[in-house]
């Protein structure tokens, strides 16, 4: 099953670097926390890495200096975070020798086509300006992470084993509704296979694994430690191998227990798998919370997908989403993608140079340092989309969040389902295919999966992130900034929303006047509709019943009296 493992000699497997946690007791909780940097030589230190004197020079060098002449392996380079990582490495570490990226063919495109399309992306504009030949540093390796041996050819395996200095493992399935078997294959087994490959890399200095801050979301307070896994990964993998898909589906809720989905469950198992190798490799684990658009680099507001809050913001901006269950006062632990990438590169440097005695975990979060709440997010998202409307909005943007289940259900009925029904009726009558109800059903499914995260908050300890920041030179603090204390949330959210408009929806900013005009049209339609509704209600319910007419005239009289009273008292005071 894990072909790389077979090639490891037992002697090498037994070499440990310390007396702490070994691969035999992976479930034990270990406090990794802060530690004094050591220059302890690990297995790979002995296996073909630079001499200690070289490394002492490295420890004083800047992050960019460290990456000079290095060969870097990146998985998930075609994903949201991976692309930003590739861009930042090329731009801020121009001395990097080569970036080996594991890519699979997908959606009718060959691996090469995908890579050349990726490099044409706007994200790379700044790198392209600095170095038009930047693509020469990217070496694409064909790989399907779900296949045995990661489906890397023997020649490529040989090449990687002889030259890679540092591995960044970003690939994962981040879908919340992923079937367990698939999520285990990709998030756990592929990680295991990559670690086995990493063990064979003669020049390897660090292995950086990207996890998630929500891997342990069944806990309220989360330290920078690897918690005992919900089940031993090996046991689960063995069981899933013989189980029918339908059996797996049936037992999934029991297995994931108090975690909300297979994603967080398998990411927790992946951390355990990574920890099992931490006696043999220099390992760093990054746990970002909700990764959002870029804050500063390569430009503010870069985002290219609907994941997490982005889809919610877009749906709210389009006037489709009017209500969602979220706690106004809960911390919205968003973290900009460029912050995560800067931290990742700094962790790569720190892990390789200082070789901490055990795998260090970095909770990459904002809540404990510079908190912002869902209620504030709602306010800033709405205000941005009112000033910079999206094109062809369904209704005027006016989303409200509530933690009350019944109130939310009421607004779903009144503000989602009813308008969707009316619009579909209109489409049917005008000979078109109804679509609004289908869109709302998809939206409800998506936000239903997110609500777990928007209705509660967590406390993450992020001491290691602060410790790392204190280790950077003043120059590195600027180039690889991950100091989230400087984050100005209203400005960030505004850029985020504009980023969804420009880069996800590909809308032109010059069309904003037309979009505003469209919103005015929608407002007039709403006024007309409300007036017609009032007349209809009057005709059907009030005009027909004597009692309703009496109540109506009583209410009107009362209002009239109040008005006269206030007018009289204001005349007297004048
Ligand atoms: C103003 C209000 C403020 C309050 C605001 C509160 C926000 C509260 C956020 C909490 C956020 C926590 C985040 C946890 C922290 C991580 O762990 S981050 C990792 C997060 N992972 C994700 O977000 C993945 C979630 N997504 C999924 O699991 C799946 O996409 C879904 C939602 C189940 C949908 O699956 P599906 O129906 O099979 O659809 P899928 O094939 O994925 O996509 C179909 C289409 O819908 C689009 N789409 C996908 N998702 C969405 C979406 N959410 N919306 C719209 N379209 C979407 C796709 O782009 C695709 O478009 P086409 O290519 O067809 O044109
Ligand atoms: N986005 C977020 O909010 C958060 C993300 N994270 C973590 O960050 C990492 C990156 O996430 P993000 O960039 O957002 O995710 P994306 O979904 O954007 O990217 C996932 C990457 O993994 C690759 N991949 C998936 N399946 C395979 C496969 N079978 N074989 C080869 N490659 C595959 C994808 O390649 P392809 O293009 O071929 O599909 C893509 O490059 C993940 O580990 C995730 O858990 C952590 C916290 C929050």
């Amino acid at each position: 099953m894990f072909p790389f493992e077979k090639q490891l000699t037992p002697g090498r497997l037994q070499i440990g670097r310390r007396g702490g946690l070994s691969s035999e007791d992976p479930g034990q909780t270990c406090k990794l926390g802060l530690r004094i940097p050591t220059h302890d030589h690990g297995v790979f230190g002995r296996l073909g890495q630079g001499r200690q004197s070289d490394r002492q020079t490295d420890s004083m060098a800047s992050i960019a200096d460290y990456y000079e002449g290095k060969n870097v392996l990146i998985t998930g380079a075609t994903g949201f975070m991976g692309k930003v990582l590739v861009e930042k490495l090329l731009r801020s570490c121009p001395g990097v020798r080569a970036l080996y990226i594991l890519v699979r063919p997908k959606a009718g495109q060959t691996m090469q086509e995908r890579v050349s399309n990726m490099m044409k992306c706007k994200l790379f504009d700044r790198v392209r300006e600095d170095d038009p030949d930047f693509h020469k540093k990217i070496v694409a390796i064909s790989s399907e992470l779900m296949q045995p041996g990661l489906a890397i050819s023997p020649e490529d395996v040989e090449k990687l084993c002889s030259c890679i200095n540092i591995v960044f493992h970003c690939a994962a399935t981040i879908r919340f509704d992923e079937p367990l078997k698939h999520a285990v294959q990709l998030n756990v087994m592929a990680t295991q296979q990559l670690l086995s490959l990493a063990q064979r890399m003669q020049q390897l200095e660090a292995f950086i694994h990207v996890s998630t801050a929500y891997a342990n979301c069944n806990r309220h307070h989360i330290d920078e430690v690897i918690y005992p896994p919900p089940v031993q990964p090996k046991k689960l993998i063995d069981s899933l191998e013989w189980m029918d898909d339908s059996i797996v589906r049936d037992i999934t809720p029991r297995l994931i227990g108090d975690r909300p989905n297979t994603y967080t469950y398998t990411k927790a198992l992946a951390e355990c798998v990574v920890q099992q190798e931490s006696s043999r490799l220099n390992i760093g684990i990054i746990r970002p919370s909700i990764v959002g658009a870029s804050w500063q680099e390569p430009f503010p507001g870069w985002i290219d997908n609907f994941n997490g809050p982005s889809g919610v913001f877009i749906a709210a901006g389009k006037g489709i989403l009017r209500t969602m269950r979220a706690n106004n006062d809960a911390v919205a632990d968003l973290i900009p993608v460029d912050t995560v990438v800067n931290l990742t590169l700094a962790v790569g440097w720190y892990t390789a140079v200082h070789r901490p005695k055990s795998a260090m975990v970095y909770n990459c979060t904002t809540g404990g340092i510079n908190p912002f709440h869902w209620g504030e997010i709602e306010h800033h998202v709405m205000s941005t989309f009112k000033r910079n409307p999206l094109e062809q909005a369904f209704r005027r943007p006016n989303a409200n969040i509530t933690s009350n289940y019944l109130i939310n259900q009421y607004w779903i009925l009144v503000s989602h389902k009813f308008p969707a029904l009316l619009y579909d009726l209109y489409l049917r009558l005008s000979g078109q295919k109804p679509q609004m109800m289908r869109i709302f059903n998809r939206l409800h499914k998506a936000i239903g999966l997110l609500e777990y995260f928007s209705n509660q908050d967590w406390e993450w300890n992020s001491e290691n992130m602060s410790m790392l920041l204190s280790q950077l030179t003043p120059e590195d603090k600027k180039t690889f900034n991950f100091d989230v204390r400087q984050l100005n949330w209203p400005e960030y959210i505004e850029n985020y929303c504009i980023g969804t408009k420009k880069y996800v929806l590909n809308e032109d900013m010059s069309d904003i006047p037309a979009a505003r005009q469209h919103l005015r049209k929608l407002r007039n339609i709403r006024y007309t509709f409300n007036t017609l509704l009032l007349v209809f209600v009057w005709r059907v319910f009030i005009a027909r019943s004597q009692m309703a007419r009496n109540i109506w005239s009583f209410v009107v009289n009362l209002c009239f009296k109040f008005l006269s009273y206030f007018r009289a008292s204001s005349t007297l005071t004048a």
Side-chain angles (χ1 to χ4, degrees), residues 401-415:
I401 57 175
T402 170
S403 49
N404 187 301
Y405 174 80
L406 286 177
I407 293 179
N408 186 49
Q409 287 302 312
Y410 169 78
W411 285 116
I412 283 182
L413 197 69
V414 172
S415 280

Side-chain angles (χ1 to χ4, degrees), residues 46-331:
R46 295 183 208 104
L47 291 170
Q49 284 171 12
R51 294 186 310 274
Q52 182 161 11
S53 57
D54 298 341
R55 230 172 297 118
Q56 273 166 344
T57 320
D58 273 352
S59 73
M60 281 176 276
S62 75
I63 297 180
D65 288 343
Y66 166 72
Y67 285 101
E68 183 135 6
K70 297 285 194 274
N71 290 307
V72 180
L73 175 69
I74 302 174
T75 70
T78 49
F80 174 46
M81 204 185 294
K83 279 203 286 263
V84 179
L85 178 65
V86 169
E87 194 276 341
K88 177 71 180 177
L89 256 171
L90 291 169
R91 183 163 47 83
S92 297
C93 306
V96 69
R97 182 172 296 160
L99 306 187
Y100 289 79
I101 59 174
L102 299 190
V103 186
R104 57 178 171 169
K106 191 175 162 185
Q109 286 186 313
T110 64
M111 175 196 74
Q112 279 306 345
E113 282 167 347
R114 292 192 70 200
V115 176
S116 53
N117 284 343
M118 174 179 129
M119 284 184 290
K120 284 184 205 143
C121 169
K122 184 172 169 50
L123 178 73
F124 291 92
D125 282 0
R126 274 181 71 184
V127 189
R128 204 173 296 114
E129 240 168 60
D130 296 347
D131 173 15
D133 288 334
F134 77 94
H135 60 273
K136 290 188 180 154
K137 283 195 180 160
I138 296 182
V139 184
I141 303 275
S142 177
S143 170
E144 164 54 70
L145 298 180
M146 307 264 282
Q147 295 294 321
L150 309 174
I152 307 178
S153 72
E155 303 77 55
D156 285 339
V157 168
E158 206 169 306
K159 188 158 62 177
L160 297 177
C161 289
S162 64
C163 76
I164 294 300
N165 302 109
I166 180 157
V167 175
F168 292 105
H169 178 35
C170 302
T173 166
I174 64 166
R175 291 181 69 96
F176 290 152
D177 62 345
E178 197 71 80
L180 183 63
K181 224 176 200 177
H182 193 274
V184 167
Q185 274 172 339
L186 189 53
N187 294 352
V188 188
M189 291 165 74
T191 303
Q192 211 161 32
Q193 296 206 65
L194 189 69
L195 284 160
S196 300
L197 177 63
Q199 304 238 20
R200 296 181 55 205
M201 295 176 178
Q202 291 134 29
Q203 312 285 333
L204 192 73
E205 295 166 21
F207 183 102
I208 309 304
H209 171 73
V210 182
S211 181
T212 161
Y214 295 98
N216 302 291
C217 58
N218 53 334
R219 294 168 180 268
H220 176 66
H221 179 91
I222 298 160
D223 277 318
E224 291 173 304
V225 301
I226 299 164
Y227 288 99
V231 58
Q232 281 305 318
K234 190 176 174 324
K235 281 191 186 158
L236 181 68
I237 292 167
D238 289 346
S239 324
L240 292 181
E241 210 149 81
W242 62 263
M243 271 187 211
D244 190 47
D245 284 355
S246 63
I247 303 178
V248 178
R249 204 174 40 240
D250 290 346
I251 63 166
T252 297
R254 297 285 298 276
L255 282 171
I256 65 174
D258 50 3
R259 283 184 176 75
N261 51 47
T262 54
Y263 169 63
T264 51
Y265 179 75
T266 51
K267 289 298 269 190
L269 295 181
E271 284 192 0
C272 171
V273 160
V274 171
Q275 189 193 34
Q276 286 169 0
E277 300 306 323
S278 64
S279 58
R280 294 179 278 265
L281 299 171
N282 295 312
I283 287 179
I285 297 179
I286 323 266
R287 285 192 190 140
S289 43
I290 304 171
V291 183
S294 62
W295 168 21
Q296 292 162 320
E297 292 180 277
F299 41 79
W302 166 258
I303 177 82
D304 67 356
N305 61 69
F306 286 92
N307 293 330
S310 311
V312 177
F313 292 173
I314 292 171
K318 286 274 182 191
I320 297 174
L321 181 97
R322 316 287 287 187
T323 183
M324 177 173 175
R325 228 162 65 73
N327 182 349
N328 275 293
D329 302 321
V331 171

